[in-house]
């Protein structure tokens, strides 16, 4: 059950008439030589950690040690609960939950890196919001994580998933693509629809730089997690509607890698450029670290 690209992954799923999640589960059984029950149990624990992070971020007074971030997840949830908003209930649900997880991460809480800590809120936010909308059971949510993992596996083996290597497009972009594919499967979409969702989501993240203010995974990271979750849901809807990406998913991934390679070092997690190098960004860095620097 081997695959390296999204195309190969999709072809295996379609040929065997199984969902992407099942391909990934069997891949893990084969490659890791572990029993299925053990693999499923471990992924279930990951889901539990995500759920707990969401609950913490939405109920507790979360604040990072720097004081730069915290409390926005609760604001978004309260705004949604008023019932008068411009986007949809499910989108705002995903946004609030993605923000919650990212804020917990910034406050040194326990999260699951999906695929990195800097992008940890997108997948939990998207799948939990989708589960609420679709009334999905636990197994469906666990399987969604395997679907996301399969896409992350393809991206990591053909491009990069770290901000230091490829900019924020490699972190938030990859997570958004993973979440989009997972949500499609949760909604009953086909493997090819998941692949289209990957392409649609990721190409709208191309060129996104990694410019953490004061070198911390807080600003603009938390809000990018929120936006990533919303893009994942919209990309999934577009794919489910039958919209296809002109550029296939694997070519989008390749383009992301090449863009990352051409990015200057100042825009790849060094806090030397972008938002980190604005007057406010530098003032915050001075406030947090004083004259000592990072």
């Amino acid at each position: 059950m081997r695959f390296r690209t999204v195309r190969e992954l999709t072809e295996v799923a379609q040929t065997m008439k199984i969902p992407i999640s099942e391909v990934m589960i069997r891949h893990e059984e084969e490659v890791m030589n572990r029993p299925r029950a053990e693999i499923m149990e471990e992924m279930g624990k990951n889901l539990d950690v995500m759920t707990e992070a969401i609950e913490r971020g939405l109920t507790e007074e979360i604040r990072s040690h720097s004081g730069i971030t915290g409390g926005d997840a609760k604001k978004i949830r309260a705004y949604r609960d008023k019932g008068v908003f411009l986007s949809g209930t499910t989108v705002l649900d995903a946004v609030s939950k993605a923000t919650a997880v990212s804020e917990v991460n910034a406050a040194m809480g326990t999260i699951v890196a999906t695929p990195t800590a800097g992008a940890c809120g997108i997948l939990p936010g998207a799948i939990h919001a989708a589960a609420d909308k679709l009334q999905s059971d636990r197994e469906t949510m666990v399987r969604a994580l395997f679907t996301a993992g399969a896409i992350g596996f393809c991206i990591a083996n053909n491009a990069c998933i770290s901000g230091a290597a490829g900019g924020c497009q490699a972190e938030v972009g990859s997570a958004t693509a993973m979440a989009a594919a997972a949500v499609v499967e949760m909604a009953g979409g086909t493997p090819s629809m998941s692949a289209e969702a990957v392409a649609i989501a990721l190409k709208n993240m191309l060129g996104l730089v990694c410019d953490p203010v004061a070198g911390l995974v807080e600003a603009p990271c938390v809000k990018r997690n929120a936006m990533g979750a919303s893009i994942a849901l919209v990309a999934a809807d577009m794919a489910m509607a039958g919209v296809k990406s002109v550029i296939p998913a694997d070519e989008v991934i390749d383009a992301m890698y090449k863009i990352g390679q051409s990015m200057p070092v100042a825009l790849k997690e060094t806090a030397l450029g972008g938002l980190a190098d604005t007057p406010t960004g530098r003032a915050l860095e001075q406030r947090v670290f004083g004259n000592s620097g990072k």
Side-chain angles (χ1 to χ4, degrees):
M1 192 70 63
R2 300 299 176 95
F3 62 90
R4 185 178 177 83
T5 66
V6 175
R7 179 180 178 181
E8 291 173 350
L9 171 63
T10 305
E11 288 177 346
V12 171
Q14 292 176 332
T15 299
M16 299 190 69
K17 293 181 172 55
I18 57 177
I20 288 176
S21 59
E22 184 62 27
V23 175
M24 191 61 183
I25 293 168
R26 295 183 188 183
H27 176 272
E28 288 292 292
E29 288 181 288
E30 179 182 327
V31 174
M32 304 304 293
N33 192 29
R34 298 171 63 194
R36 184 185 186 90
E38 183 178 301
I39 294 169
M40 297 296 288
E41 181 181 4
E42 182 172 339
M43 192 61 89
K45 290 179 180 178
N46 289 334
L47 178 64
D48 291 339
V49 171
M50 293 176 179
T51 304
E52 289 169 8
I54 288 172
E55 292 174 350
R56 277 200 64 195
L58 290 176
T59 59
E60 298 180 18
E61 294 301 322
I62 299 294
R63 200 77 193 173
S64 65
H65 292 295
S66 71
I68 294 176
T69 58
D72 286 342
K74 294 179 71 173
K75 291 178 183 177
I76 298 165
R77 173 54 59 86
Y79 171 75
R80 189 208 68 172
D81 288 346
K82 290 180 181 178
V84 181
F85 39 77
L86 299 175
S87 58
T89 303
T90 303
V91 169
L92 281 179
D93 191 27
V95 167
S96 67
K97 289 172 176 175
T99 302
V101 176
S102 193
E103 287 183 335
V104 167
N105 174 61
M108 307 302 289
T110 304
I111 50 88
V112 178
T114 53
T116 63
C120 65
I122 298 169
L123 181 59
I127 65 169
H128 278 79
D132 287 348
K133 172 69 174 180
L134 302 169
Q135 296 298 296
S136 304
D137 58 20
R138 179 180 173 81
E139 181 180 352
T140 299
M141 297 178 71
V142 170
R143 280 186 166 275
L145 297 183
F146 280 105
T147 303
I151 300 303
F153 177 86
C154 293
I155 296 174
N157 278 290
N158 293 282
C160 49
I161 57 173
S162 75
C168 203
Q169 58 168 7
E171 289 202 30
V172 168
S174 295
T176 301
M178 292 162 62
V183 172
V184 167
E185 183 171 308
M186 291 178 70
T190 65
S192 62
M193 286 177 177
S194 282
E196 296 296 344
V198 168
I200 293 169
L202 185 56
K203 69 183 180 182
N204 281 286
M205 291 288 189
L206 294 182
L208 187 60
V209 302
C210 185
D211 50 353
V213 172
L216 303 171
V217 187
E218 298 188 43
C221 317
V222 173
K223 293 179 181 65
R224 284 183 181 162
N225 273 254
M227 294 305 297
S230 66
I231 289 173
L233 291 180
V234 173
D237 267 338
M238 291 176 70
M240 294 282 287
V243 176
K244 297 182 181 297
S245 173
V246 174
I247 308 301
D250 290 312
E251 292 183 32
V252 176
I253 292 169
D254 184 55
M256 185 263 281
Y257 175 71
K258 291 177 180 177
I259 292 168
Q261 292 296 102
S262 65
M263 268 186 193
V265 172
L267 301 178
K268 292 196 284 189
E269 209 173 299
T270 58
L272 296 175
L275 297 177
D277 196 33
T278 59
T280 298
R282 291 304 177 202
L284 286 168
E285 180 183 30
Q286 179 68 19
R287 192 192 78 190
V288 174
F289 295 106
N291 294 323
S292 63
K294 297 190 294 294

